[in-house]
Amino acid sequence: MTMEIGRRQLIQLGTFGLGAMSASASATLARANGFTHGVASGEPSQNSVLLWARYVGSGDTKLTIEIAQIADFTGAKVAGEVTALASRDHIAKFVVSDLDANQWYFFRFVAPDGSKSTIGRTRTLPEGPTAKFNIGVFGCSNMPFGYFNAYAHAAERSDLDLVMHTGDYLYEYPVGTYPSTKEALEGRTLDPGHEIVQLADYRLRYAAYRSDPDLQRIHQLYPMVAMWDDHEFTNDAHMSGAQNHQPKTEGDWEVRKRVAEQVYREWMPVRDREDGAPLWSKYQIGDLATLFMTESRIGGRSEPADLAAALQGQENIQTALETFRDTIWQDPDRQMLGAVQETWLNDAMRQSRASGTKWQVWGQQCVMGELKLPQEAVNWLADDAPAFAKARVAVGALAAKVGLPINLDSWDGYPKARERALLGAQEADADLIVLSGDSHNGWAFNLETNSGAAGVEFGGHSVTSPGLESYLSGADPATAARAVRETNDQLQWCDTSNRGYMTVSLTPEKATSTWHFLDTIRAKSTTMKGSESRTVMRGQRRLAV
């Protein structure tokens, strides 16, 4: 039996103020006592869900968890006890078991002095025949660029069952770098002010982000499944290093990786991981869908191919591009997921299909569809565009002439790995839907191999991070989107100018993605500019026309 949650019950959960959280305020909150950052839940199953809170006491503090099916906690029961450990930044996480499937629950943490956390709401996954399931998809939330209005809008809804974060939950840069001081929104400054590298740095940055009222609210109301992308570590991270990690000044990469993962698992509603345990996971949504969450950064990803290095000192650029295309770029040994995870995903898709599950939904970080830069893009740069943007567009246009993509840090940089993944979906006879983030823009692709249709991709735009339009500011967004679409055969639709979030609605017959566009992120508002939807019918593996 499913309990419907109406607006009256949402009001019972309380609301947050709409003011900005300044750097000094977030730092003060990080050092405050008691329950400091709301509550969260995540990683649901049919009979369990993980609950999260932060309680700062004089040391370790034992908390009691209460859970109920009614918002006023009538008939509440004690679900268990958990200790908020000072050594884990006072974070408490507890997996509640023996729950009913397909059921909303309310929960709260209680301290020894009787003080209570914010009331949270969560739900378990359905089992058996399932008629509908709705997922909210978020990614790329850079706090200084603007308000988290996407979270605020989604929190006002009453039709979501689960939220997903595809990565770049926060950013590692120092104040004044992405965004620049000029671009940063007043009142959205971060702690610490320098780039986050050490354990204390990462903890302070999460504390600053989680001080945001709209981010707290989305965690309060919905269970989340999540996986990091690169900025939870540092820009363009891979298994053996990162573009934004300098060992001479920032230490050993393996140490930074361990620190970043530790703090992610402290501050996010995700399970801790024992050494050697897999980074990937799956969730069964009744007979409707299996949701796979993979990891494509630190576990098995090879270092991205370096086109700039391949062109360095070459007199014949055309020949150098063709050589790069035919050798380094096509190297089958270069991995995105790593061999073990790749095998797991193929097997899991086959098992899902064999069980009669209708959709195989793959949540992952980077755009999978093929994207080449239109030749006319060189004319879209504003006169005052930075030098790096001009260089990137110029090289991208040249690369496109020989069939090379613009972004080698996405799946486009690993074409053989992508081919193996899509062939695996075809061999499993999967009804594959790929959900991705990272690019900051919205995309709808038909995914194909030489064998034909392999599935579709719904690529989510960002909560606040700027997209393609920030580089190609000399072009009308509609003109740029049309040219990008016409240049890439698999691309069926794109948006290159809006911020917001996606919702994906699954039924036994069809799956529909809707991209929701906010009117602004520079002021507190949930006013929407519009939306766009695309649908795939089960068994078609192509977007409906």
Side-chain angles (χ1 to χ4, degrees):
M1 178 179 178
T2 303
M3 182 175 64
E4 296 295 330
I5 300 295
R7 294 195 64 83
R8 181 183 61 82
Q9 289 169 308
L10 294 184
I11 291 171
Q12 283 182 282
L13 297 186
T15 57
F16 290 95
L18 298 180
M21 183 68 68
S22 69
S24 58
S26 65
T28 299
L29 186 53
R31 295 188 294 268
N33 292 324
F35 292 105
T36 63
H37 286 80
V39 294
S41 68
E43 300 189 344
S45 72
Q46 278 68 30
N47 62 6
S48 68
V49 66
L50 182 147
L51 307 180
W52 181 101
R54 183 172 188 261
Y55 183 90
V56 180
S58 58
D60 296 347
T61 306
K62 184 173 289 187
L63 306 174
T64 301
I65 298 102
E66 296 179 345
I67 194 162
Q69 293 185 1
I70 302 175
D72 65 6
F73 277 74
T74 300
K77 65 177 183 179
V78 174
E81 293 183 336
V82 63
T83 301
L85 296 172
S87 62
R88 297 298 303 273
D89 209 10
H90 304 279
I91 302 299
K93 294 191 296 185
F94 184 82
V95 177
V96 180
S97 303
D98 298 323
L99 301 177
D100 295 330
N102 203 31
Q103 176 69 55
W104 287 101
Y105 287 94
F106 299 92
F107 67 94
R108 64 190 177 195
F109 291 76
V110 183
D113 63 1
S115 61
K116 297 179 177 64
S117 71
T118 303
I119 296 172
R121 184 189 69 162
T122 191
R123 67 163 296 161
T124 51
L125 297 179
E127 62 182 357
T130 303
K132 190 172 185 179
F133 196 84
N134 294 332
I135 306 172
V137 183
F138 303 86
C140 305
S141 39
N142 190 317
M143 188 173 177
F145 267 115
Y147 289 104
F148 291 161
N149 292 335
Y151 297 139
H153 186 272
E156 293 177 351
R157 304 172 68 110
S158 58
D159 61 344
L160 296 180
D161 299 299
L162 179 72
V163 296
M164 173 192 295
H165 206 289
T166 58
D168 295 343
Y169 183 90
L170 51 64
Y171 286 72
E172 83 279 11
Y173 296 112
V175 171
T177 299
Y178 198 69
S180 67
T181 302
K182 181 180 178 180
E183 294 170 318
L185 187 63
E186 185 178 358
R188 303 284 285 178
T189 311
L190 296 175
D191 296 305
H194 55 267
E195 182 177 337
I196 56 174
V197 178
Q198 307 296 334
L199 178 67
D201 300 338
Y202 280 94
R203 284 174 168 172
L204 276 173
R205 188 62 58 90
Y206 275 93
Y209 268 73
R210 288 292 294 275
S211 298
D212 180 89
D214 297 315
L215 181 50
Q216 284 194 25
R217 185 67 169 168
I218 200 74
H219 275 300
Q220 179 193 8
L221 296 180
Y222 299 109
M224 177 181 283
V225 294
M227 176 50 68
W228 56 67
D229 192 18
D230 54 339
H231 291 289
E232 291 90 342
F233 294 81
T234 192
N235 186 53
D236 288 357
H238 50 88
M239 187 167 54
S240 55
Q243 177 275 329
N244 192 29
H245 180 77
Q246 293 73 45
K248 289 184 179 179
T249 58
E250 295 173 330
D252 184 80
W253 172 239
E254 293 300 320
V255 173
R256 189 173 185 180
K257 276 200 303 186
R258 287 196 298 272
V259 165
E261 180 178 349
Q262 174 186 326
V263 180
Y264 181 89
R265 294 191 183 280
E266 287 172 353
W267 277 86
M268 295 293 287
V270 299
R271 286 173 172 81
D272 293 331
R273 183 172 70 95
E274 300 296 331
D275 288 343
L279 293 168
W280 50 89
S281 58
K282 67 178 180 178
Y283 303 87
Q284 190 64 33
I285 304 170
D287 67 348
L288 186 59
T290 307
L291 172 60
F292 313 100
M293 293 293 289
T294 59
E295 193 280 331
S296 59
R297 282 292 175 185
I298 64 166
R301 180 196 278 247
S302 306
E303 183 175 359
D306 191 340
L307 179 56
L311 298 180
Q312 183 106 21
Q314 299 295 318
E315 294 184 5
N316 190 322
I317 297 298
Q318 178 78 12
T319 299
L321 285 168
E322 292 172 353
T323 300
F324 176 87
R325 177 196 63 196
D326 298 337
T327 55
I328 297 172
W329 184 56
Q330 291 284 345
D331 183 356
D333 291 333
R334 299 182 60 256
Q335 298 272 358
M336 190 73 156
L337 301 177
V340 175
Q341 186 177 196
E342 196 174 275
T343 299
W344 170 83
L345 180 61
N346 289 340
D347 291 345
M349 282 195 289
R350 282 196 294 271
Q351 293 165 7
S352 173
R353 193 72 176 90
S355 72
T357 301
K358 297 174 177 64
W359 297 101
Q360 288 68 48
V361 182
W362 180 8
Q364 52 90 53
Q365 293 72 58
C366 296
V367 171
M368 200 168 201
E370 299 176 6
L371 277 175
K372 297 184 291 291
L373 191 68
Q375 293 301 303
E376 55 265 47
V378 295
N379 301 317
W380 296 344
L381 287 161
D383 292 339
D384 60 350
F388 80 87
K390 293 179 180 179
R392 183 173 185 181
V393 170
V395 172
L398 285 172
K401 288 183 177 181
V402 299
L404 285 168
I406 185 174
N407 184 12
L408 298 179
D409 187 59
S410 70
W411 281 89
D412 260 341
Y414 304 79
K416 292 300 183 182
R418 174 174 57 196
E419 182 180 35
R420 290 193 300 270
L422 294 179
L423 285 172
Q426 289 174 320
E427 291 168 1
D429 194 30
D431 271 291
L432 178 66
I433 301 169
V434 176
L435 304 180
S436 58
D438 184 59
S439 77
H440 307 173
N441 295 120
W443 314 95
F445 285 95
N446 287 328
L447 299 174
E448 301 172 355
T449 70
N450 290 334
S451 301
V456 303
E457 178 179 16
F458 299 136
H461 48 322
S462 64
V463 172
T464 59
S465 299
L468 193 62
E469 76 285 350
S470 64
Y471 300 108
L472 307 178
S473 56
D476 174 72
T479 300
R482 182 171 60 252
V484 172
R485 190 170 62 249
E486 292 172 351
T487 302
N488 297 281
D489 294 340
Q490 294 184 11
L491 181 61
Q492 305 302 298
W493 170 86
C494 66
D495 174 81
T496 63
S497 61
N498 289 292
R499 310 280 72 81
Y501 68 106
M502 265 192 324
T503 53
V504 178
S505 177
L506 302 171
T507 72
E509 297 81 24
K510 65 183 180 180
T512 300
S513 177
T514 301
W515 292 262
H516 305 276
F517 308 133
L518 287 154
D519 185 61
T520 183
I521 60 169
R522 303 295 289 183
K524 286 287 296 183
S525 172
T526 55
T527 300
M528 302 304 287
K529 183 186 296 184
S531 64
E532 188 77 24
S533 296
R534 290 293 184 275
T535 293
V536 58
M537 306 302 295
R538 189 158 65 92
Q540 295 299 304
R541 301 178 177 88
R542 292 181 183 274
L543 293 166
V545 178

